[in-house]
Amino acid sequence: MILVDEPRWPGRGHLWSHLVSDVSLAELHAFAEMLGSPRRAFDRDHYDIPAHRFRTALWLGATLVPSRELTARLRAAGLRRPKHLTR
Protein backbone atom coordinates (compact mmCIF):
# COMPACT_ATOMS: atom_id res chain seq x y z
CA MET A 1 0.00 0.00 0.00
CA ILE A 2 1.25 3.50 -0.82
CA LEU A 3 1.15 5.93 2.09
CA VAL A 4 1.60 9.70 2.21
CA ASP A 5 1.66 12.23 5.02
CA GLU A 6 0.47 15.85 4.96
CA PRO A 7 2.78 18.36 3.24
CA ARG A 8 4.18 20.10 6.29
CA TRP A 9 7.94 19.61 6.00
CA PRO A 10 9.63 22.87 4.87
CA GLY A 11 12.56 22.94 2.48
CA ARG A 12 13.79 24.93 -0.52
CA GLY A 13 10.85 27.32 -0.29
CA HIS A 14 8.18 24.58 -0.41
CA LEU A 15 6.28 22.24 1.88
CA TRP A 16 6.91 18.53 1.34
CA SER A 17 5.22 15.20 2.01
CA HIS A 18 6.75 11.77 2.40
CA LEU A 19 5.60 9.00 0.08
CA VAL A 20 6.30 5.38 1.10
CA SER A 21 5.20 1.82 0.44
CA ASP A 22 4.59 -0.72 3.17
CA VAL A 23 4.89 -3.50 0.55
CA SER A 24 8.06 -2.95 -1.51
CA LEU A 25 10.39 -0.37 -2.97
CA ALA A 26 9.38 -1.61 -6.43
CA GLU A 27 5.78 -0.60 -5.68
CA LEU A 28 6.99 2.77 -4.40
CA HIS A 29 9.12 3.49 -7.49
CA ALA A 30 6.27 2.51 -9.84
CA PHE A 31 3.83 4.82 -8.01
CA ALA A 32 6.33 7.69 -7.95
CA GLU A 33 6.80 7.32 -11.70
CA MET A 34 3.02 7.52 -12.24
CA LEU A 35 3.00 10.61 -10.02
CA GLY A 36 5.75 12.21 -12.08
CA SER A 37 8.28 12.34 -9.25
CA PRO A 38 11.89 12.20 -10.44
CA ARG A 39 14.12 9.43 -9.10
CA ARG A 40 16.32 12.10 -7.46
CA ALA A 41 13.39 12.72 -5.05
CA PHE A 42 13.98 9.23 -3.57
CA ASP A 43 15.78 9.29 -0.22
CA ARG A 44 16.73 5.84 1.19
CA ASP A 45 13.17 4.56 1.78
CA HIS A 46 10.79 7.33 0.71
CA TYR A 47 10.13 10.00 -1.87
CA ASP A 48 9.90 13.65 -0.91
CA ILE A 49 7.00 15.09 -2.88
CA PRO A 50 6.13 18.80 -3.06
CA ALA A 51 2.76 20.01 -1.82
CA HIS A 52 1.52 20.60 -5.38
CA ARG A 53 1.71 16.80 -6.04
CA PHE A 54 -0.01 15.82 -2.78
CA ARG A 55 -3.62 15.83 -4.07
CA THR A 56 -2.55 13.92 -7.18
CA ALA A 57 -0.95 11.26 -4.99
CA LEU A 58 -4.26 10.85 -3.16
CA TRP A 59 -6.17 10.76 -6.45
CA LEU A 60 -3.84 8.00 -7.71
CA GLY A 61 -4.64 5.95 -4.60
CA ALA A 62 -2.15 6.86 -1.89
CA THR A 63 -3.55 6.59 1.64
CA LEU A 64 -3.19 9.63 3.88
CA VAL A 65 -1.74 8.74 7.29
CA PRO A 66 -0.10 10.73 10.10
CA SER A 67 3.69 10.94 9.89
CA ARG A 68 4.19 8.70 12.92
CA GLU A 69 2.01 5.98 11.42
CA LEU A 70 3.85 6.27 8.11
CA THR A 71 7.16 5.62 9.87
CA ALA A 72 5.73 2.81 12.00
CA ARG A 73 4.29 1.05 8.93
CA LEU A 74 7.59 1.42 7.09
CA ARG A 75 9.43 -0.16 10.04
CA ALA A 76 6.87 -2.97 10.41
CA ALA A 77 7.32 -3.81 6.72
CA GLY A 78 11.11 -3.99 7.17
CA LEU A 79 11.64 -1.22 4.63
CA ARG A 80 12.93 1.54 6.94
CA ARG A 81 16.50 2.58 6.09
CA PRO A 82 17.87 4.95 8.75
CA LYS A 83 20.54 7.50 7.78
CA HIS A 84 23.29 5.59 9.58
CA LEU A 85 22.74 2.59 7.24
CA THR A 86 22.92 4.50 3.95
CA ARG A 87 26.48 3.63 3.03
Side-chain angles (χ1 to χ4, degrees), residues 38-51:
R39 189 64 176 247
R40 70 180 177 273
F42 180 70
D43 184 17
R44 297 183 320 273
D45 54 16
H46 69 279
Y47 277 83
D48 293 317
I49 61 167

Side-chain angles (χ1 to χ4, degrees), residues 11 13 19 22-24 26 30 34 39-40 51 54-55 59 64 66 69 71 75 79 84 87:
L19 185 75
D22 65 356
V23 173
S24 70
M34 282 192 316
R39 189 64 176 247
R40 70 180 177 273
F54 174 72
R55 294 273 175 227
W59 184 81
L64 177 61
E69 182 178 341
T71 304
R75 277 194 192 111
L79 296 172
H84 73 278
R87 306 234 190 275

Side-chain angles (χ1 to χ4, degrees), residues 9 17 24-25 30 32 43 46 58 61 66 68:
W9 308 99
S17 292
S24 70
L25 292 180
D43 184 17
H46 69 279
L58 295 176
R68 287 181 187 224

